[in-house]
Amino acid sequence: MLKPLATTVLATCLLGLAACSSKEPSGQASANPAIPVTTAVIEPSTWVDTIEAVGTTKARESITLTAKITETVRKVNFSDGQQVDAGDVLVEMTSGQQVAALAEAQATFKDAERLMKRNDDLVRQGTVSKQVADTARATHDSSQARVALLRAQLADRVVTAPFSGVLGLRQVSDGALVTPGTIITTLDDIDTIKLDFALAERNLARLQPGLELTASSVAYPGRHFSGRITSIDSRVDPITRAILVRAELPNPDHALRAGMLMTVRVLQPGREVLALPEIAIEQVGTGSFAYRVKPDMRVERVAVELGARKDGKVEVIHGIDAGTRIVVDGTVKLRDGSLISDATPAAVAPQ
């Protein structure tokens, strides 16, 4: 009885194996369908390299206005944040005593001038000696110098704007007693802003006056200020190995103020490169690969050498030629030799 039972079990197993083997060909036929991906033809494009840094803004011209003498403020002629022109009188000091002294000195000078001219005439006539005329001339010159001194003292009692700009906060009031060095206010010319920033010395050969740049500040999200490099320092800092660069940014609306921190991007001259979207690159260890589409719609995995990266794109230095169609999206599903179907949306014709 055991022998017929064993025979039955063996027959059953053989039938099962036969059934499985008969299903394999149909399964293989349905395997490896075309994988939908998006592709693009790579063409040369203009690539602008950038050098990034952070910098600090400065006014084109900036001073702190202070008192030159000890005196009482008679009148303040400005308000906080006022726009002023060169020569505008900002503060007037008490000057009654000096005005009177100037008037007296001017009168003395006129008398000395008349006496000098008269003595000169008498010397020519031989009536008085030359020594008398020399004394009169010395008195004249001394009176003239005193008039100039009093005028200078009066000028120190009037504080004027040396250039056009925006005033800061007022630090004095009418009637206040000021002494030499007392801060009155600040004055900044911010129609154009200077921007100073440091770059590593390795960038020195890439810098030159006239290069364009853009700058941004957290104070104005999404806004970019354009400018140009105007000068490069003559020395590299021996400690930081950095060089100081200065640029100027037009600031017609006075949005920028002195002392702001800004992110700077120095724009290099454009160059022609082949660039791929970063998502088209497959990174395996230290190697970088892209999938090139062959005429039979199968892909070939090629090693590429990459360069600079910017705005979601990467420069290809070696490995792919211009005019090559590569897979952009869908690389994670591919292997070398995979069959693909191009699902790239057709370009919409202009209306």
Side-chain angles (χ1 to χ4, degrees):
M1 292 181 60
L2 293 175
K3 186 175 181 180
L5 179 60
T7 303
T8 303
V9 172
L10 179 59
T12 303
C13 291
L14 291 173
L15 289 173
L17 289 173
C20 290
S21 61
S22 64
K23 294 179 181 178
E24 286 181 0
S26 61
Q28 290 178 350
S30 61
N32 300 326
I35 301 172
V37 296
T38 60
T39 66
V41 176
I42 305 305
E43 299 291 350
S45 59
T46 301
W47 184 279
V48 178
D49 292 303
T50 60
I51 307 173
E52 296 191 359
V54 291
T56 302
T57 58
K58 294 183 178 181
R60 181 169 58 183
E61 301 292 345
S62 179
I63 61 168
T64 298
L65 296 170
T66 60
K68 298 179 181 179
I69 59 173
T70 299
E71 193 54 86
T72 303
V73 175
R74 185 176 71 85
K75 186 178 181 182
V76 177
N77 297 319
F78 70 92
S79 57
D80 297 341
Q82 181 178 336
Q83 177 77 37
V84 295
D85 295 325
D88 285 354
V89 176
L90 306 179
V91 175
E92 301 174 39
M93 308 290 185
T94 301
S95 57
Q97 183 178 355
Q98 284 69 31
V99 170
L102 177 61
E104 180 184 2
Q106 288 174 329
T108 302
F109 169 69
K110 289 180 180 179
D111 287 341
E113 190 173 31
R114 283 195 298 269
L115 180 60
M116 179 189 69
K117 290 180 179 179
R118 184 173 61 184
N119 283 330
D120 287 344
D121 292 339
L122 293 176
V123 166
R124 286 191 291 270
Q125 296 172 10
T127 306
V128 297
S129 65
K130 189 174 184 300
Q131 182 179 4
V132 173
D134 289 343
T135 301
R137 181 172 295 278
T139 301
H140 167 270
D141 293 343
S142 176
S143 299
Q144 188 178 35
R146 178 163 176 75
V147 169
L149 173 64
L150 290 171
R151 282 176 175 168
Q153 291 178 347
L154 278 173
D156 289 342
R157 283 166 166 74
V158 178
V159 179
T160 60
F163 53 83
S164 300
V166 179
L167 295 172
L169 302 179
R170 182 164 62 100
Q171 304 294 333
V172 296
S173 301
D174 293 352
L177 178 66
V178 296
T179 57
T182 298
I183 296 177
I184 297 173
T185 188
T186 57
L187 177 62
D188 295 319
D189 177 3
I190 56 175
D191 288 339
T192 299
I193 285 289
K194 295 177 182 177
L195 180 60
D196 291 352
F197 54 95
L199 292 175
E201 66 175 318
R202 65 174 178 271
N203 295 307
L204 183 57
R206 304 166 64 188
L207 298 175
Q208 61 183 6
L211 283 180
E212 295 183 353
L213 58 82
T214 61
S216 58
S217 169
V218 294
Y220 302 102
R223 181 174 179 181
H224 297 278
F225 299 86
S226 299
R228 292 181 181 273
I229 291 178
T230 56
S231 56
I232 302 169
D233 200 358
S234 59
R235 297 181 179 182
V236 174
D237 190 312
I239 298 176
T240 63
R241 304 300 177 189
I243 189 167
L244 192 63
V245 182
R246 173 167 290 174
E248 289 190 354
L249 310 176
N251 188 36
D253 60 350
H254 294 179
L256 299 177
R257 304 295 178 94
M260 295 177 67
L261 180 69
M262 303 198 77
T263 301
V264 186
R265 297 179 68 189
V266 181
L267 308 180
Q268 297 291 292
R271 55 192 178 92
E272 291 294 310
V273 302
L274 293 177
L276 302 179
E278 286 187 305
I279 60 173
I281 300 300
E282 182 181 66
Q283 205 73 36
V284 180
T286 59
S288 300
F289 302 88
Y291 286 95
R292 179 166 50 201
V293 181
K294 297 192 293 185
D296 62 356
M297 296 304 288
R298 293 189 178 273
V299 294
E300 178 185 7
R301 189 178 187 228
V302 294
V304 292
E305 182 182 351
L306 305 180
R309 296 174 184 264
K310 181 184 69 173
D311 300 333
K313 290 192 174 184
V314 59
E315 175 190 5
V316 177
I317 300 175
H318 180 72
I320 294 180
D321 297 326
T324 301
R325 181 175 294 276
I326 58 100
V327 175
V328 175
D329 194 10
T331 57
V332 295
K333 301 173 288 185
L334 299 181
R335 297 292 181 270
D336 193 26
S338 295
L339 180 65
I340 65 165
S341 62
D342 194 348
T344 305
V348 179
Q351 298 292 328

